[in-house]
């Protein structure tokens, strides 16, 4: 009787799971619009999608609370909820987009949730779209017990997990052939110059580098011989362009088996999958910070023709540079302005946009660039 009660309770609890999951999200359609300035459709599209995401979150919020409460707390919701719209969107799909009389208009279907994105793998695909599908190269050196042939067990297992979760991979075998064994060993030892080559030549943004070690010890239990197989997988996640180590992790697993090769394969596979899934969480966190965190860049502009010219230039930057949130004027003296720029990006991305995009009759030239400071000259394009 007791067991039947436990069984019924289990069935009841299992039945609750999908209902709970469904109640945590809602799917809505929303529209967004942005003006096209200086013919920059890509920036206008970004802003239109941001507007649509905000409207989706606002619409979903309206289904959860009374309209009077919504109106009464609009400013609070605007500051705390709508301003972080992307953080509440698990997935979205652009259903329609068009240009109409100087406006870029989009219609999206979005799944809105209140969970933390970095702990929700369902949001991984949309997150990675925002950071342009990061390319990862997985490269491991494997060491096995005597009598067991080394292979690419860990490398293959980790690569499969990453591919299953939407990552693009750079082929490690191609890199091995082209670089040679000495440079591969240098890369595994932390040579940032080799990492930079892989970034430039093969387009890898992240390198997952490490070692896989497996040992087997035979024990006898009665008349049965059992192999105790243990695997230890150690890896570091490296930013390819800078050589910076972002994360370092180790995972291990043990699998008893009568066949040592089968046991080692199972142990390496389990440890590799544990490490890969943990690394995915770390990559999500890193890219989440890259996408959502606001960078503050101190921008100094030389060569301005007056205070009115400064106001014109500030507007040009706001309209033509991706990710601009706010521009604060800190100082202006004799043709030189000191500004503080808030943007989703970095000093490097701001410098790239200033030097490659069109700004009416003006162009920017970089004088100096550091981690959070950028100095530029502005000159007429006909000069």
């Amino acid at each position: 009787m007791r067991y039947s009660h436990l069984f019924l309770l289990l069935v009841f609890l299992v039945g609750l799971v999908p209902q709970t999951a469904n109640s945590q999200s809602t799917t809505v359609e929303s529209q967004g619009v942005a003006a096209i300035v200086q013919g920059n459709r890509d920036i206008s599209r970004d802003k239109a999608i941001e507007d649509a995401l905000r409207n989706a979150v606002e619409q979903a919020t309206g289904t959860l609370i009374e309209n009077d409460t919504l109106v009464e707390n609009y400013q609070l919701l605007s500051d705390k909820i709508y301003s972080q719209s992307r953080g509440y969107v698990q997935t979205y799909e652009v259903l329609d987009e068009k240009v109409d009389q100087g406006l870029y208009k989009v219609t999206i279907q979005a799944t809105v949730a209140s969970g933390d994105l970095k702990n929700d793998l369902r949001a991984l695909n949309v997150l990675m779209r925002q950071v342009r599908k990061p390319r990862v190269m997985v490269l491991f050196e494997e060491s096995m017990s005597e009598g067991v042939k080394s292979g690419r067990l860990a490398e293959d297992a980790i690569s499969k997990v990453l591919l299953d979760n939407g990552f693009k991979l750079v082929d490690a075998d191609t890199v091995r052939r082209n670089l040679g064994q000495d440079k591969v060993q240098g890369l595994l030892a932390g040579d940032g110059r080799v990492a930079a080559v892989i970034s430039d030549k093969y387009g890898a943004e992240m390198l997952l580098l490490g070692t896989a070690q497996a040992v087997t010890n035979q024990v006898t239990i009665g008349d049965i011989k059992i192999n105790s197989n243990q695997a230890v997988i150690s890896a570091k996640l490296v930013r390819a362009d800078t050589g910076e180590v972002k994360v370092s992790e180790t995972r291990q697993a043990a699998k008893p088996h009568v066949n040592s090769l089968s046991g080692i394969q199972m142990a390496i596979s389990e440890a590799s999958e544990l490490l890969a899934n943990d690394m995915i969480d770390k990559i999500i966190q890193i890219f989440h910070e890259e996408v959502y965190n606001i960078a503050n860049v101190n921008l100094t502009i030389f060569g301005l023709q007056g205070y009115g010219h400064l106001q014109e230039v500030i507007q040009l930057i706001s309209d033509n540079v991706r990710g601009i949130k706010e521009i604060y004027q800190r100082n202006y003296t004799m043709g030189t302005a000191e500004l503080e720029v808030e943007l989703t990006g970095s000093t490097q991305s701001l410098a790239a946009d200033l030097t490659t995009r069109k700004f009416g009759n003006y162009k920017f030239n970089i004088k100096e660039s550091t981690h959070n400071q950028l100095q530029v000259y502005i000159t007429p394009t006909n000069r």
Side-chain angles (χ1 to χ4, degrees), residues 172-186:
D173 287 336
T174 300
V175 174
R176 281 190 179 93
R177 287 194 300 270
N178 293 339
L179 289 184
Q181 186 62 25
D182 289 344
K183 289 186 177 179
V184 169
Q185 290 300 318

Side-chain angles (χ1 to χ4, degrees), residues 214-264:
V215 295
T216 182
N217 296 300
Q218 193 175 80
V219 296
T220 302
I221 303 175
D223 296 331
I224 302 176
K225 293 182 178 180
I226 298 291
N227 294 299
S228 174
N229 308 289
Q230 296 182 328
V232 178
I233 312 294
S234 299
K236 55 187 177 182
L237 184 67
V238 179
R239 190 88 193 191
D241 54 354
T242 64
E244 178 187 2
V245 177
K246 307 295 290 187
V247 180
S248 181
E249 296 286 352
T250 298
R251 291 292 179 269
Q252 55 187 349
K255 289 292 181 182
H257 203 282
V258 293
N259 182 283
S260 60
L261 178 58
S262 297
I264 283 178

Side-chain angles (χ1 to χ4, degrees), residues 274-285:
L274 288 171
L275 185 138
N277 283 309
D278 189 57
M279 281 294 186
I280 285 176
D281 289 339
K282 303 295 184 183
I283 293 173
I284 292 174
Q285 181 178 352

Side-chain angles (χ1 to χ4, degrees), residues 114-134:
S114 59
D116 187 352
L117 273 184
K118 69 180 180 181
N119 294 323
D120 190 349
L121 289 179
R122 287 176 296 175
L124 177 62
N125 286 335
V126 65
L127 178 60
M128 293 205 303
R129 279 199 295 272
Q130 293 162 6
V131 291
R132 302 178 303 281
K133 287 284 186 183

Side-chain angles (χ1 to χ4, degrees), residues 8 13 16 43-44 63 78-79 131 189 211 214 226 229 232 245 263-265 282 290 357 369 372:
L8 290 174
L13 292 174
L16 287 179
I43 294 178
S44 301
T63 66
S78 181
D79 292 341
V131 291
T211 60
I226 298 291
N229 308 289
V232 178
V245 177
I264 283 178
Q265 289 175 337
K282 303 295 184 183
E290 182 176 307
R357 291 184 177 273
S369 176
N372 63 347

Side-chain angles (χ1 to χ4, degrees), residues 13-65:
L13 292 174
V14 170
L16 287 179
V17 172
Q19 296 176 16
T20 303
N22 289 337
S23 67
Q24 294 177 345
S25 64
T26 182
T27 301
V28 299
E29 285 190 17
S30 63
Q31 289 75 42
V33 63
I36 300 174
V37 180
Q38 297 286 333
N40 289 318
R41 292 192 179 187
D42 53 350
I43 294 178
S44 301
R45 185 179 190 273
D46 288 349
K47 291 182 177 180
I49 290 176
E50 290 287 348
D51 186 45
L53 290 174
R54 176 190 168 95
N55 290 335
V57 172
E58 186 171 349
Q59 184 177 332
T61 304
T63 66
L64 300 175
I65 61 179

